[in-house]
């Protein structure tokens, strides 16, 4: 997984995790997100629906938090 910094987006993290995944078939089976959708997302051809991104984030252990106030 890439080094996490404050500016890294969920999209960047998910793309990296999917690209580095050994088996998109396993990810598909575990999350219900179609491999074709994941491959198009990794290539930048389509976005993921929020529910798909949420399932993938949970699968890869990615958690989001709101930005700190006062920026």
């Amino acid at each position: 997984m890439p080094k996490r910094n404050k500016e890294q987006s969920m999209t960047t993290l998910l793309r990296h995790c999917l690209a580095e995944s050994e088996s998109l078939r396993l990810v598909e089976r575990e999350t219900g997100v179609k491999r074709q959708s994941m491959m198009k997302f990794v290539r930048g051809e389509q976005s993921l629906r929020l529910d798909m991104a949420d399932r993938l984030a949970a699968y890869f252990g990615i958690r989001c938090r709101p930005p700190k106030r006062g920026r």
Side-chain angles (χ1 to χ4, degrees), residues 9-39:
S9 71
M10 176 65 80
T11 299
T12 301
L13 287 171
L14 284 175
R15 279 194 175 125
H16 177 79
C17 288
L18 288 168
E20 295 296 315
S21 177
E22 291 184 27
S23 173
L24 289 183
R25 287 181 198 267
L26 177 61
V27 176
E28 177 182 39
R29 192 172 352 160
E30 297 285 324
T31 65
V33 178
K34 301 286 185 193
R35 276 182 296 137
Q36 185 176 12
S37 294
M38 290 186 275
M39 290 185 303

